[in-house]
Amino acid sequence: MSRISYYKSLFLVAAIYDLILGLVFTFLPKSAFNLIGIPDKAPDFVGYLSLIGAYLLIIGIAYILIYRGKLQKNIDLILIGLLYKFAYCSIVFYYFMIGDLPHIIFLVLFGFIDLIMLLLMIECYVTLRRKVEI
């Protein structure tokens, strides 16, 4: 597998992952909290969760655009994508550290998946930047 194929696969996986989460949190936010056994942790106004879900859908679409296009031309989208993963990881790890995480799944599953994707996206971004500067 070439490096380009590897990076494109990364963004395809990220797209599928965020699109699925986006659909769930946009259209079934209370069900998601019920499924993991914390219905009392869902906000009274689920519009907040739906908005987060919509953001996940949008970033999932951005990852599809990266996957379908040329990586060099999409370097700015790649930066936005990795910043998005950084934001989630920072927030979830912070709330874990202060003991205010609503459920461990937000760290153990989503946090670590996003951390791995973040590190791989940073590698992709740095690799592409080096090629641009050469």
Side-chain angles (χ1 to χ4, degrees), residues 36-37 39 49 55 58 73 80 92 96 101 119 124 128 131:
I36 59 176
L49 295 175
Y55 289 152
I58 291 167
K73 287 187 177 183
I80 295 300
V92 79
F96 173 73
L101 203 58
L119 295 173
C124 175
L128 292 172
K131 286 186 177 182

Side-chain angles (χ1 to χ4, degrees), residues 3 10 14 24 26 44 47 53 55 66-67 69 75 81 89:
R3 201 163 192 95
L10 166 66
V24 169
T26 299
D44 291 331
Y55 289 152
I66 294 167
Y67 165 74
I75 196 163
C89 290

Side-chain angles (χ1 to χ4, degrees), residues 9-62:
S9 296
L10 166 66
F11 288 103
L12 178 60
V13 169
I16 293 167
Y17 170 76
D18 281 342
L19 288 170
I20 290 169
L21 287 176
L23 289 170
V24 169
F25 281 99
T26 299
F27 299 108
L28 305 166
K30 283 203 177 227
S31 298
F33 276 67
N34 289 338
L35 180 67
I36 59 176
I38 55 168
D40 56 316
K41 298 289 186 170
D44 291 331
F45 176 64
V46 293
Y48 295 125
L49 295 175
S50 293
L51 181 60
I52 292 168
Y55 289 152
L56 283 165
L57 286 171
I58 291 167
I59 200 69
I61 292 167

Side-chain angles (χ1 to χ4, degrees), residues 28-128:
L28 305 166
K30 283 203 177 227
S31 298
F33 276 67
N34 289 338
L35 180 67
I36 59 176
I38 55 168
D40 56 316
K41 298 289 186 170
D44 291 331
F45 176 64
V46 293
Y48 295 125
L49 295 175
S50 293
L51 181 60
I52 292 168
Y55 289 152
L56 283 165
L57 286 171
I58 291 167
I59 200 69
I61 292 167
Y63 293 143
I64 287 174
L65 295 173
I66 294 167
Y67 165 74
R68 286 183 28 205
K70 295 187 183 275
L71 293 176
Q72 285 288 355
K73 287 187 177 183
N74 286 313
I75 196 163
D76 292 337
L77 276 179
I78 293 169
L79 178 60
I80 295 300
L82 75 87
L83 289 172
Y84 184 86
K85 295 296 183 190
F86 176 76
Y88 181 79
C89 290
S90 298
I91 290 167
V92 79
F93 288 110
Y94 169 77
Y95 280 100
F96 173 73
M97 298 283 283
I98 66 168
D100 197 20
L101 203 58
H103 193 282
I104 196 66
I105 196 169
F106 292 101
L107 174 72
V108 173
L109 182 60
F110 306 132
F112 283 110
I113 287 173
D114 276 6
L115 179 61
I116 291 166
M117 287 186 193
L118 167 64
L119 295 173
L120 296 174
M121 288 178 188
I122 289 170
E123 175 202 353
C124 175
Y125 182 78
V126 168
T127 300
L128 292 172

